[in-house]
Amino acid sequence: MCGIGGILRIDPPGVTPPPLREAIPERWLDLLDSSIRHRGPDGHGRFRDRARRADGSTATVAMVHRRLSILDHAGGAQPMLIRGEDAGGARIDSAGIDCTGDDCTPLLFHGSPNSAVDYRPVQSAPADRLAIVFNGCIYNHRELRRELAAAGHTLTTDHSDTEVIPHEWRRNKWRLLDTLEGMYAAAIWDAAEAEIVLIRDRFGEKPLYAARWERDGVRLGAWSSSVPGLIAVGEAFGIPQTIRPLAVRAWIADGAFLVLPQRDVVEQYSGSGRYLLPTKQQGRGSQFGSLPTDLQSSKRPLDADTVEAQLRASVHQRLEADVPLGCFLSGGIDSALIAAFARQVRPDISAFTVRMPVGGYDESADAAATAHHLGIKHHILDCHPDPVTDLESQIRALGLPFGDSSLLPTTWVSRAARNHVTVALGGDGGDDLFLGYERQLIAPLLTAATWLPSRPLRAAARVIERTAHPRSRRSKLARLLNAAAATGYDQLIAIFPAPLLDALVEPQPGPDHGSVEAMRRQHGRDTRLDDLNYLEWDLLRKADTATMSCALELRSPFLDSTLARSALTATRESLLLNGQRKGLLREVARRYFPAEIVDRPKRGFAIPIGEWFRSDFGGLGTLLSDTLHSADPFPESRLGLRIRTEVARRFLHEHLTSRRDHSQRLYMLLVLAIWARSLPPG
């Protein structure tokens, strides 16, 4: 678990590039490094290299890495360089032209967290070398090490999972995406091809952002675990960031979305599997390593025995670490099953629950009952929330207007657990894969209801909203009516349904304007794809941001590729066994837990953000009010679109007077204003 970044510069044929150390200035690397420093407190490293391509252009690369040391403390330093003689001794055929001379000698640096950069030259034939920076964990690395050794590869570390990736690239090229089991984001420098290969895991557990720029014939590609680092590099290159108004509108609507607001930056999509920098196309699609994309076909029943065996194997595979490891334990069955299977291999493992500072949202008593039943060591930890400081720092570090308020409690849980463990197992993915959300049950009915007249549906929703408690069934009914009156499932999952979004955001003419719904349709509207999108763009982005802010590695057994494929290709009826949400998973849980644990009502991991705005908990209400009543909280010159401040203030008044619940909408507007302050003036 680390932070990675790097830059690839392409100088055109016939042009002599600047010297190796000047082509990509050290201060550019400092910009990348500063944005990922918090992700790796145990060491940092850099790498530089150069190679000529077959077309006569010159590729210069520089990589940066921040390390959170989990496996092989002595041998796992990065960037890691692999030479041809270690890969079975076979001659590598290069598509490029060998670069000779002192200016083409690769430079490598490994140091302690605060040490000054002091490169050392590394002798290696250009056609034979690979270098990698890697973030994540490869759970099947020992199995792959045995296969690689049998194929003639020489692995020089004791048990570094990083080392298997470049060897797998040499052995299998893009097929490595089928052989790696883990969470990962990695950049591989292939000197033989003079190109950078970016890879990311199937679900997108680890962030990987990329950008491309061109100026005066020089092409620059960059990648990072962090958006702010890329923005800073682009500005240093002389290309300031610009904003996509339509993407901003989409983020306001949903709180998180596929298309990033920054025009030059893209997220490395997990579904496409692979990516090259820089190319004319943003990426090269690949089915290797991907999960089923046609979720309507190949459906077959899934049984409890299969799920139990696959989840158990996944948990056991995720228990290797050279640092303290534990389990997050909530009141639900997902984390309970993970703890039960972990204890089978590690009887001394501890479970951790954080006591939340609000009644009704605290699951520590339920978790304690689960831990007692398992006979597992259990620690109930107190968190010390500072919501204003934490919110501003997390949005700044993420560099995106992320609108899920559960980012705050996830940050507090992670920070409290980090005082005890460096690695934690969590239950992300259980609800998404095994149909644990109410909206997944409602979706088919909602689709059928969209033919009803919209005006009476909206009118009925408005009547209910005036008196319904935000967490009541009547409030859920109002959301359902509003969704049926619009485009259906899209509106059910939106923070700002279409009527409210249209009232808040003024339409803008121009080629970049279009509807949020059209952007959603561009990326598929199957509700199971929506589940995966929500998992990747919201839950996993939130989990990574929160855990890495305190350098905690989080592993998610439910996202094992075998288990996930089984769930995604299962019939709906088998997943909803006995007509229950997550019925099949509950059937597995009944083998380990009594009914009072298995059948507890689902609470969800949330905070009463709306109540906190009203009570000014931690200063949140003051921050919100001061922000919305400031002179220009949403500057059009920065965001590229006009947000009607008077409408935002009306939402605030309606919420504070309890006329309507705008909890998540106000949170989204607060986050948007915080993010907007980080943007350069238009």
Side-chain angles (χ1 to χ4, degrees), residues 234-248:
E235 292 177 343
F237 186 55
I239 303 180
Q241 67 169 312
T242 54
I243 299 298
R244 296 182 177 99
L246 176 56
V248 175

mmCIF file of all heavy atoms in Angstrom, residues 234-248:
data_model
loop_
_atom_site.group_PDB
_atom_site.id
_atom_site.type_symbol
_atom_site.label_atom_id
_atom_site.label_comp_id
_atom_site.label_asym_id
_atom_site.label_seq_id
_atom_site.Cartn_x
_atom_site.Cartn_y
_atom_site.Cartn_z
ATOM 1 N N GLY A 234 0.949 19.597 -14.590
ATOM 2 C CA GLY A 234 0.469 20.260 -15.800
ATOM 3 C C GLY A 234 0.713 21.757 -15.768
ATOM 4 O O GLY A 234 1.137 22.360 -16.770
ATOM 5 N N GLU A 235 0.465 22.376 -14.628
ATOM 6 C CA GLU A 235 0.697 23.813 -14.513
ATOM 7 C C GLU A 235 2.186 24.136 -14.597
ATOM 8 O O GLU A 235 2.579 25.147 -15.188
ATOM 9 C CB GLU A 235 0.089 24.322 -13.213
ATOM 10 C CG GLU A 235 -1.443 24.269 -13.225
ATOM 11 C CD GLU A 235 -2.062 24.695 -11.906
ATOM 12 O OE1 GLU A 235 -1.330 24.725 -10.890
ATOM 13 O OE2 GLU A 235 -3.268 24.986 -11.888
ATOM 14 N N ALA A 236 3.045 23.261 -14.022
ATOM 15 C CA ALA A 236 4.490 23.477 -14.121
ATOM 16 C C ALA A 236 4.966 23.340 -15.568
ATOM 17 O O ALA A 236 5.925 24.005 -15.984
ATOM 18 C CB ALA A 236 5.224 22.483 -13.221
ATOM 19 N N PHE A 237 4.285 22.489 -16.350
ATOM 20 C CA PHE A 237 4.607 22.301 -17.765
ATOM 21 C C PHE A 237 4.104 23.471 -18.611
ATOM 22 O O PHE A 237 4.450 23.606 -19.783
ATOM 23 C CB PHE A 237 3.988 20.978 -18.238
ATOM 24 C CG PHE A 237 4.337 20.573 -19.638
ATOM 25 C CD1 PHE A 237 5.664 20.460 -20.051
ATOM 26 C CD2 PHE A 237 3.339 20.285 -20.554
ATOM 27 C CE1 PHE A 237 5.975 20.071 -21.350
ATOM 28 C CE2 PHE A 237 3.645 19.887 -21.848
ATOM 29 C CZ PHE A 237 4.977 19.778 -22.247
ATOM 30 N N GLY A 238 3.278 24.314 -18.001
ATOM 31 C CA GLY A 238 2.769 25.491 -18.706
ATOM 32 C C GLY A 238 1.357 25.361 -19.207
ATOM 33 O O GLY A 238 0.907 26.167 -20.025
ATOM 34 N N ILE A 239 0.631 24.333 -18.729
ATOM 35 C CA ILE A 239 -0.750 24.126 -19.169
ATOM 36 C C ILE A 239 -1.644 24.128 -17.939
ATOM 37 O O ILE A 239 -1.746 23.123 -17.236
ATOM 38 C CB ILE A 239 -0.904 22.817 -19.958
ATOM 39 C CG1 ILE A 239 0.039 22.814 -21.167
ATOM 40 C CG2 ILE A 239 -2.354 22.624 -20.399
ATOM 41 C CD1 ILE A 239 -0.024 21.576 -22.002
ATOM 42 N N PRO A 240 -2.307 25.247 -17.639
ATOM 43 C CA PRO A 240 -3.174 25.302 -16.459
ATOM 44 C C PRO A 240 -4.397 24.417 -16.631
ATOM 45 O O PRO A 240 -4.841 24.145 -17.749
ATOM 46 C CB PRO A 240 -3.554 26.782 -16.370
ATOM 47 C CG PRO A 240 -3.398 27.296 -17.760
ATOM 48 C CD PRO A 240 -2.267 26.518 -18.378
ATOM 49 N N GLN A 241 -4.937 23.973 -15.522
ATOM 50 C CA GLN A 241 -6.104 23.103 -15.583
ATOM 51 C C GLN A 241 -7.332 23.879 -16.039
ATOM 52 O O GLN A 241 -7.483 25.063 -15.769
ATOM 53 C CB GLN A 241 -6.369 22.473 -14.222
ATOM 54 C CG GLN A 241 -6.792 23.443 -13.141
ATOM 55 C CD GLN A 241 -7.286 22.736 -11.902
ATOM 56 O OE1 GLN A 241 -8.103 21.823 -11.974
ATOM 57 N NE2 GLN A 241 -6.776 23.139 -10.748
ATOM 58 N N THR A 242 -8.193 23.182 -16.737
ATOM 59 C CA THR A 242 -9.503 23.713 -17.094
ATOM 60 C C THR A 242 -10.558 22.713 -16.632
ATOM 61 O O THR A 242 -10.276 21.532 -16.444
ATOM 62 C CB THR A 242 -9.620 23.940 -18.612
ATOM 63 O OG1 THR A 242 -9.287 22.708 -19.296
ATOM 64 C CG2 THR A 242 -8.684 25.035 -19.069
ATOM 65 N N ILE A 243 -11.763 23.200 -16.457
ATOM 66 C CA ILE A 243 -12.824 22.404 -15.853
ATOM 67 C C ILE A 243 -13.896 22.072 -16.872
ATOM 68 O O ILE A 243 -14.252 22.898 -17.715
ATOM 69 C CB ILE A 243 -13.447 23.165 -14.666
ATOM 70 C CG1 ILE A 243 -12.389 23.425 -13.589
ATOM 71 C CG2 ILE A 243 -14.626 22.415 -14.067
ATOM 72 C CD1 ILE A 243 -11.784 22.184 -12.983
ATOM 73 N N ARG A 244 -14.416 20.845 -16.806
ATOM 74 C CA ARG A 244 -15.550 20.441 -17.637
ATOM 75 C C ARG A 244 -16.843 20.807 -16.909
ATOM 76 O O ARG A 244 -17.191 20.178 -15.909
ATOM 77 C CB ARG A 244 -15.556 18.930 -17.865
ATOM 78 C CG ARG A 244 -14.397 18.352 -18.644
ATOM 79 C CD ARG A 244 -14.642 16.842 -18.790
ATOM 80 N NE ARG A 244 -13.640 16.178 -19.574
ATOM 81 C CZ ARG A 244 -12.613 15.504 -19.067
ATOM 82 N NH1 ARG A 244 -12.445 15.444 -17.761
ATOM 83 N NH2 ARG A 244 -11.754 14.880 -19.852
ATOM 84 N N PRO A 245 -17.590 21.777 -17.397
ATOM 85 C CA PRO A 245 -18.834 22.148 -16.705
ATOM 86 C C PRO A 245 -19.818 20.988 -16.578
ATOM 87 O O PRO A 245 -20.459 20.825 -15.536
ATOM 88 C CB PRO A 245 -19.399 23.275 -17.579
ATOM 89 C CG PRO A 245 -18.198 23.862 -18.256
ATOM 90 C CD PRO A 245 -17.283 22.696 -18.506
ATOM 91 N N LEU A 246 -19.947 20.177 -17.631
ATOM 92 C CA LEU A 246 -20.878 19.060 -17.577
ATOM 93 C C LEU A 246 -20.474 18.063 -16.506
ATOM 94 O O LEU A 246 -21.319 17.511 -15.791
ATOM 95 C CB LEU A 246 -20.955 18.365 -18.941
ATOM 96 C CG LEU A 246 -21.838 17.113 -19.014
ATOM 97 C CD1 LEU A 246 -23.254 17.416 -18.567
ATOM 98 C CD2 LEU A 246 -21.827 16.542 -20.422
ATOM 99 N N ALA A 247 -19.177 17.834 -16.362
ATOM 100 C CA ALA A 247 -18.713 16.905 -15.336
ATOM 101 C C ALA A 247 -18.977 17.459 -13.942
ATOM 102 O O ALA A 247 -19.329 16.706 -13.024
ATOM 103 C CB ALA A 247 -17.227 16.618 -15.527
ATOM 104 N N VAL A 248 -18.802 18.768 -13.762
ATOM 105 C CA VAL A 248 -19.120 19.377 -12.467
ATOM 106 C C VAL A 248 -20.597 19.180 -12.152
ATOM 107 O O VAL A 248 -20.981 18.823 -11.027
ATOM 108 C CB VAL A 248 -18.751 20.872 -12.460
ATOM 109 C CG1 VAL A 248 -19.204 21.524 -11.149
ATOM 110 C CG2 VAL A 248 -17.254 21.060 -12.642
#
